[in-house]
């Protein structure tokens, strides 16, 4: 297979302009002759659907949520980046581009990232025009903050609810088009398969989650805006229902899955408190601006703390190890996410972790409170402290907070070209569902930016290029391809219901999660990964023999919904492990124990691995095939990251 | 003019009318209580009788009075309609429901309180107003004013009865509770809420709903204990 | 700790439904309420029964999915929290906990504790937006907004569309939800252009959905997980009457 990334010719800064001029246009009067299917109503889906409907396309929008506004994007707290340089601190499109490529550890496409930085400025304009209530200065202009260790203040935010406010903006734009009739909205409707006719994406098969009815929807193009797959790990900061089914089923139909092993583990999450834990809660990264991370210097002290014999506040300064400050004197507590996460793992592996499970480190505000006063700290983090206390029952003003890394974001996803089209003509992937812009590691506040860039400002141009080449003919939903896909979906569901085994879906999911976390989490090695492949295969086989799904297919059946999703995770998990195993280097969120510098930092292998690993489905138990898209860096110089 | 009917058949429009009529009734209460203060004048009811005479004769007052009847009627009809609609909005109720903290008892029971106030108004009107208009009321002759109806006597004889006095007093408690929520609620409904003035409205409302019914209640008590014709 | 759960079970909209009692043993008080429900559900699944259906997703109080009427109050006893943020440490050994769905004509029960809140979406579709197309908008800083106004608009915009206001209101009124959106957009210069049409259309839709009338009990603000203020209801009343008398919609 020849992966054509369709990166336009010409100098970096002119590629997008030129491309916009070169793509084919669809005449305004003809747009209404095309039906576009958008799956997902997160930032990517809602913005794409609204923008395409405004242009005149007929859009059908699907979400498994009961309302488009509940998509997982709503949970983003921190903010959204844009190269506005409103703060006059030296930011520019080029700097945002550069930071993103570097932050991604040189595993992303220059052209895509540059375009992202270019359109970032338009996103903020658009959102403000929609009435998104961003934080402002007293003079009435927009406020910015520095986020995730960035050297400039380019992050726009709305208290701790940036995701919710942006999503509501997009949701309202979408709602407006629903009112005009240009968008037909299908809520509580889950896509379960992609339909292809003559190699082109022509529709989807869905299940109405309320009635259980399997339905077919035909269209000229299908946009998957279905979010990330972090829930492979069972425990993650993702919403409970976030899943990979749409992307995975497209993958089974031939769409390549790129860089599946690139997962981001966020260092500041509330630790697991017990086996019953259902999900993990992110504490905003901004806490690391003032909090100091530490664990006891000795295993003995840590043990005493774990047993409740002493309190952390009892431990004198000299008995504490502020390990980030010690190891990274210049960045200290503000090292990038992957570095902070990995170091937390190491100290806990050494037995110096705290909390009931020993899987937690302290994030201490005592110094900050002493320095700036309690009221200042309260003004900065009051709502976060409150949230922490609600969940844990501890007061972070008097006791140090406990944190531990958790799976947060997946950089991998469906492979797409510069137009955001997968290798299947007519099938697009936007937002976290694609692999495009973050390389091996995503910078804070850049996912929201990418989702909205894709939806508002990229797809409205690039999709036209494909659609313009199609005849003005309704896609026929009675085509045998639809019959076939519909039958396959029904068979799959019946199969799940007929197994009537002994183990619950969650039970399998939890086990998959622990395998993934253990062997394909913060630090990976060939031995563990090889073992994990076997474990996942075994688990998958058990699942299909022993899963227990009650209820019927013709009603709201949440066990069945979960079973469908976990079935796909069980396949995707294996692909992630295979990808991690094949990538014999460490980069960004992918850390292989075998490949590190003498100081224990990630060691890239640019000679051999400067490519996108795009995997082709190899059948249920078959081996996937690797396709490589070489990454060419013409504008940035590849350097080894160093935060010393 | 369909917009107008539309407006007042909308939820907010109807509420707006409730508030306007309610406020009108509040203004009336102020006038009513002030006038009736004359009952306390130790002149065997002369001032009070002259005042009622004046109130029945004046055309302007007549208009206000009809407005008042209309307001009561409108207030009742609209609140009943609202009440029916609200009941329909929750066809299946909760098995267990605990009142939310900070939510006043009055605000949850305006319908009952209003109905009791209505019952009171009916009795009250039947007693004083009906007898004034159509009943046989003794007259009294004052030098300058001439022969006028002696409503004071009606009032005095009514409030010389224990049960009637007690009823009147109890009803004033209901009115107090109705106003306790109604007063501030009317301002909220009209959108007259502002950081600066809202606390003032609330406390004025609170004291108003205590003071006005209290004074009203003092009248029967005063007569029962100090001007009782049976004693 | 041990608990007794009385949970509303209803197979579907046509079913009459009723309470089923479950004894819960050894509940860890660090669990969240929904994790306790998960424990119940896994047990039911293992026993071959259908789990209790309930909506939930983010489990951090922001998506607005979760919606349980717990012991007589929407989202349970604690202030400013959604159901998913409720923790078992608030309950005591031996407690009997009653769990019901939101009750309102406009929120019909779908199954067990799941209700249909699409009425809210239709109210937003009726006008809860600023009519700008993608592209062609002015630079973000060309629309200065005084910080106070921006903050107030933000406070209104924190609504998560959970419907607890409706569930709490003795009249099943949706005024708090609708007023939050009307106010957010009426406060901001971007939204002022369409403010009259917006409030007229949204209120009309709210009425058409069958919600009750507000009688200013303020229970909605008390139970709202985002503690949306009554100020916004007053603001909407003002906006609505003002619009009705001055807009050119006849
Ligand atoms: C706790 C948290 C905090 C974050 N904070 C930040 C931040 O501060 N800044 C930042 O930039 N990023 C942040 N992120 C990342 C960012 O929020 C996400 O990457 C981004 O919102 C994803 O948007 P999306 O549109 O791609 O997908 P989502 O928002 O996940 O939407 C997916 C949509 O697809 C639908 N869907 C999925 N599958 C199907 C199917 N099969 N059928 C029908 N519908 C389907 C869902 O219903 C949903 O509508 C955060 C993430 C988390 C978890
Ligand atoms: C002196 C007599 C009365 C006065 C001064 C009065 C005053 C008020 C006021 C100010 C309100 C608040 C309106 C609003 O919230 O916008 C109100 C509400 C109400 N009134 Fe009255 N009222 C009187 C008599 C009655 C009567 C006779 C009824 C009989 C049905 C009644 C029933 C109600 C009801 C049900 C409400 C509730 C509406 C709500 O809570 O919003 N009232 N009243
Ligand atoms: S106003 Fe409050 S209670 Fe009502 S929907 Fe919004 S967040 Fe929920
Ligand atoms: S589950 Fe999202 S708000 Fe409770």
């Amino acid at each position: 297979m020849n992966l054509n990334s369709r990166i336009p010719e010409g100098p970096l800064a002119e590629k997008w302009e030129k491309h916009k001029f070169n793509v084919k246009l669809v005449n305004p009067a003809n747009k209404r002759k095309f039906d576009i299917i958008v799956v997902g109503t997160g930032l990517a889906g809602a913005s794409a659907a609204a923008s395409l409907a405004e242009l005149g396309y007929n859009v059908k929008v699907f979400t498994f949520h009961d309302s488009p506004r509940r998509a997982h994007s709503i949970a983003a707290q921190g903010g959204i980046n844009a190269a506005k340089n409103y703060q006059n601190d030296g930011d520019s499109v080029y700097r945002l581009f550069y930071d993103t490529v570097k932050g991604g550890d040189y595993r992303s496409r220059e052209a895509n990232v540059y375009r992202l930085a270019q359109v970032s400025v338009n996103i903020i304009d658009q959102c403000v025009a929609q009435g998104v209530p961003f934080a402002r200065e007293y003079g009435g202009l927009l406020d910015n903050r520095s986020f995730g260790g960035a050297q400039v203040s380019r992050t726009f935010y709305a208290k701790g609810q940036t995701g919710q406010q942006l999503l509501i903006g997009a949701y309202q734009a979408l709602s407006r088009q629903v009112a005009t009739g240009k968008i037909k909205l299908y809520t509580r409707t889950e896509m379960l398969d992609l339909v292809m006719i003559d190699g082109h994406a022509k529709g989807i098969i869905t299940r109405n989650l309320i009635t259980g009815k399997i339905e077919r929807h035909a269209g000229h193009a299908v946009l998957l805006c279905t979010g990330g797959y972090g829930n492979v790990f069972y425990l993650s900061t993702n919403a409970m229902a976030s899943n990979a089914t749409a992307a995975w089923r497209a993958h089974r139909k031939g769409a390549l899955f790129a860089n599946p092993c690139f997962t981001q583990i966020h260092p500041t999450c509330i630790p697991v408190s017990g086996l019953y834990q259902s999900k993990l809660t992110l504490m905003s990264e901004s806490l690391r601006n003032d909090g100091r991370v530490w664990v006891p210097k000795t295993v003995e002290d840590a043990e005493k703390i774990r047993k409740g014999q002493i309190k952390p506040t009892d431990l004198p300064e000299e008995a504490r190890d502020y390990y980030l400050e010690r190891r990274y004197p210049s960045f200290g507590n503000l090292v990038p996410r992957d570095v902070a996460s990995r170091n937390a793992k190491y100290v806990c592996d050494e037995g110096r972790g705290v909390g009931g499970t020993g899987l937690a480190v302290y994030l201490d505000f005592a110094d900050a409170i002493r320095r700036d006063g309690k009221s200042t700290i309260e003004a900065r983090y009051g709502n976060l402290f409150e949230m922490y206390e609600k969940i844990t029952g501890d007061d972070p003003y008097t006791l140090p907070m406990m944190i531990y890394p958790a799976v947060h974001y997946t950089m991998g996803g469906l492979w797409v070209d510069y137009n955001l089209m997968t290798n299947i003509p007519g099938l697009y992937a936007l937002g976290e569902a694609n692999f495009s812009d973050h390389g091996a590691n995503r910078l804070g506040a850049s996912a929201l930016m990418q989702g909205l860039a894709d939806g508002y400002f990229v797809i409205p141009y690039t999709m036209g290029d494909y659609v313009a080449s199609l005849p003005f003919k309704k896609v026929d939903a009675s085509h045998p391809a639809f019959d076939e896909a519909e039958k396959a979906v029904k068979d799959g569901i019946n199969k799940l219901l007929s197994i009537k085994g002994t183990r619950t879906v969650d039970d399998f999911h939890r086990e998959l999660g622990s395998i993934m976390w253990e062997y394909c989490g913060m630090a990976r090695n060939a031995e563990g990964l090889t073992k994990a492949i076997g474990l996942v295969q075994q688990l998958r086989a058990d699942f299909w023999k022993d899963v227990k799904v009650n209820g019927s297919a013709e009603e709201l059946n949440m066990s069945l919904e979960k079973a469908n999703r976990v079935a796909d995770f069980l396949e995707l998990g294996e692909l992630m492990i295979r990808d991690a195993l094949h990538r014999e280097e460490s980069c960004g969120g992918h850390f292989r124990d075998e490949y590190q510098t003498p100081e224990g930092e990630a060691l890239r292998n640019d000679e051999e691995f400067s490519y996108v690993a795009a995997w082709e489905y190899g059948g249920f138990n078959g081996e996937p095939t690797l396709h490589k898209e070489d990454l060419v860096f013409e504008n940035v110089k590849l350097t080894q990251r160093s935060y010393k | 003019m369909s917009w107008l009917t539309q407006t007042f058949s909308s939820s907010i429009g109807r509420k707006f009318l409730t508030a306007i009529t309610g406020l009108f009734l509040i203004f009336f209460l102020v006038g009513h209580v002030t006038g009736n203060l004359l009952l306390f004048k130790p002149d065997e009811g002369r001032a009070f009788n002259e005042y009622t005479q004046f109130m029945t004769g004046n055309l302007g007052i007549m208009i206000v009075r009809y407005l008042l009847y209309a307001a009561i009627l409108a207030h009742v009809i609209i609140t009943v309609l609202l009440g029916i609609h609200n009941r329909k909005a929750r066809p299946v109720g909760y098995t267990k429901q605990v009142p939310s903290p900070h939510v006043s008892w009055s605000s949850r029971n305006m319908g009952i309180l209003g109905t009791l106030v209505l019952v009171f108004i009916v009795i009250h009107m039947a007693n004083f107003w009906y007898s004034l208009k159509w009943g046989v009321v003794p007259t009294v002759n004052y030098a300058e004013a001439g022969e006028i109806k002696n409503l004071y006597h009606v009032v005095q004889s009514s409030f010389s009865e224990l049960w009637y006095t007690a009823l009147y007093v109890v009803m004033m408690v209901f009115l107090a509770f109705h106003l306790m929520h109604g007063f501030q609620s009317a301002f909220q409904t009209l959108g007259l809420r502002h950081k600066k003035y809202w606390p003032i409205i609330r406390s004025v409302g609170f004291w108003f709903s205590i003071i006005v019914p209290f004074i009203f209640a003092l009248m029967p008590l005063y007569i029962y204990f100090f001007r009782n014709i049976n004693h | 700790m041990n608990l007794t759960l009385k949970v509303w079970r209803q197979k579907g909209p046509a079913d009459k439904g009723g309470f089923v009692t479950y004894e819960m043993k050894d509940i860890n008080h660090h669990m969240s309420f929904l994790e306790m429900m998960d424990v119940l559900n896994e047990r039911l699944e293992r026993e071959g029964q259908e789990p209790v259906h309930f909506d939930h997703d983010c489990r951090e109080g922001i998506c607005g999915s979760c919606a349980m009427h717990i012991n007589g109050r929407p989202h349970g006893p604690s202030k400013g929290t959604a159901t998913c943020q409720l923790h078992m440490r608030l309950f005591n050994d031996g407690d009997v906990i009653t769990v019901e769905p939101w009750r309102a004509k406009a929120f019909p029960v779908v199954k067990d504790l799941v209700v249909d809140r699409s009425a809210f979406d239709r109210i937003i579709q009726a006008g809860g937006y600023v009519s700008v197309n993608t592209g062609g908008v002015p630079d973000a800083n060309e629309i200065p907004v005084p910080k106070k106004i921006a903050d107030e608009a933000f406070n209104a915009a924190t609504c998560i569309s959970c419907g607890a206001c409706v569930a709490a209101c003795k009249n099943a009124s949706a005024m708090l939800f609708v007023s939050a959106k009307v106010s957010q957009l009426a406060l901001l210069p971007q939204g002022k252009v369409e403010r009259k049409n917006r409030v007229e259309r949204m209120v009309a839709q709210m009425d058409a959905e069958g919600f009750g009338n507000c009688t200013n009990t303020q229970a909605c603000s008390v139970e709202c997980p985002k503690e949306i203020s009554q100020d916004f209801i007053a603001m909407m009343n003002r906006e609505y009457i003002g619009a009705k008398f001055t807009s050119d919609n006849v």
Side-chain angles (χ1 to χ4, degrees), chain A residues 51 54 65-70 74-75 77 84 86 124-126 128-131 133 136-138 140-142 158-159 161 164-165 168 171-172 175-176 178-179 185 188 210 239-241 273 276-281 389-393 456-457 502 504 506-507 510 548 550-551 555-559, chain C residues 11 28 30-31 35 38 42 44-46 48-51 53-60 62-65 80-81 87 89 110-111 114-115 117 121 124-125 128-135 137-141 143-147 150 153-155 157-161 177 181 184-185 188 190 226:
Chain A
S51 306
E54 285 159 9
H65 286 95
D66 69 323
S67 162
R69 64 178 287 155
R70 305 214 202 276
I74 200 122
Q77 304 169 349
K84 280 284 196 187
Y86 280 160
I124 303 304
D125 299 344
Q126 186 64 33
V128 166
Q130 288 169 345
R136 287 177 184 267
E137 315 254 22
Y138 282 98
L141 301 184
L142 291 161
K159 286 234 176 89
Q161 301 196 347
Q164 134 129 323
Q165 297 309 330
I168 292 176
Y171 156 73
Q172 287 171 187
S175 297
R176 175 172 156 244
V178 173
L185 180 61
R188 291 205 204 258
I210 302 291
M240 299 292 289
S273 71
Y276 50 79
Q277 189 89 26
S278 59
K279 77 153 278 187
L280 295 168
T281 304
E389 189 173 355
K390 255 179 215 164
I391 295 175
T392 62
Y456 284 134
F457 297 110
T502 60
T504 62
D506 281 340
D507 204 18
R510 258 192 302 267
K548 188 177 179 74
N550 304 314
E555 60 179 331
L556 180 60
N557 185 340
M558 291 184 177
S559 314
Chain C
K11 281 228 49 112
N28 183 314
H30 283 305
M31 278 184 189
E35 282 167 350
D38 292 342
E42 263 205 276
L44 293 177
E45 286 183 356
R46 244 180 261 119
Q49 300 177 47
E50 272 200 75
H53 281 67
F54 59 87
D55 272 321
H56 67 105
D57 198 19
C58 72
R59 297 213 173 181
E60 45 190 78
I62 195 71
C63 74
S65 299
T81 45
H87 279 74
R89 64 180 81 86
V110 174
K111 182 170 185 169
V114 176
V115 299
R117 286 169 287 187
D121 288 322
I124 299 295
Q125 285 156 17
Y129 43 75
V130 176
S131 300
V132 289
N133 284 352
T134 304
V137 297
D139 182 89
N141 263 350
I143 315 173
V145 183
K147 182 167 165 48
F154 173 82
N155 287 340
T158 56
C159 165
I160 56 175
S161 194
F177 166 78
K181 185 50 62 189
Q184 179 207 338
L185 297 178
L188 294 171
Q190 301 92 304
K226 297 295 156 192

Side-chain angles (χ1 to χ4, degrees), chain C residues 142-187:
Chain C
E142 272 173 36
I143 315 173
V145 183
K147 182 167 165 48
K148 269 196 113 114
I149 300 281
D151 287 350
E152 212 181 330
F154 173 82
N155 287 340
T158 56
C159 165
I160 56 175
S161 194
C162 63
C165 42
V166 175
C169 176
K170 72 189 246 299
N171 313 314
S173 160
M175 287 284 277
L176 193 63
F177 166 78
V178 182
S179 69
K181 185 50 62 189
V182 165
S183 304
Q184 179 207 338
L185 297 178
L187 279 162

Side-chain angles (χ1 to χ4, degrees), chain A residues 166-287:
Chain A
L166 295 173
L167 181 60
I168 292 176
Y171 156 73
Q172 287 171 187
L174 178 148
S175 297
R176 175 172 156 244
Q177 295 306 316
V178 173
T180 66
K182 285 311 285 181
I183 289 184
K184 191 147 171 22
L185 180 61
Y186 296 82
T187 56
R188 291 205 204 258
T189 305
E190 184 157 14
M191 165 185 167
L192 291 180
D193 210 354
L194 176 73
V195 180
M196 309 226 317
I197 300 177
D198 302 331
H200 287 238
K202 289 295 178 200
I204 59 173
I205 304 293
T206 60
R207 177 166 182 269
N208 178 323
L209 299 182
I210 302 291
T211 61
K213 198 158 175 265
I214 304 295
E215 287 160 337
R216 39 178 86 184
H217 299 275
H220 294 89
V222 176
L223 278 51
L224 299 185
C225 315
T226 49
Y229 52 89
N231 277 347
V232 170
F233 291 84
Y234 186 69
L235 289 181
S236 82
T237 63
N238 287 13
M240 299 292 289
S242 297
N243 70 80
T245 289
W248 191 256
R249 306 247 163 139
H251 175 60
R252 285 210 297 226
K253 285 275 162 95
L256 302 185
F257 211 108
N259 298 338
C261 80
F262 289 164
T263 26
Q264 180 168 82
I265 310 230
H266 199 290
T268 51
C269 301
I270 298 181
V272 174
S273 71
L275 260 184
Y276 50 79
Q277 189 89 26
S278 59
K279 77 153 278 187
L280 295 168
T281 304
L282 174 77
M283 299 297 292
S284 168
E285 190 152 40
S286 60
L287 290 169

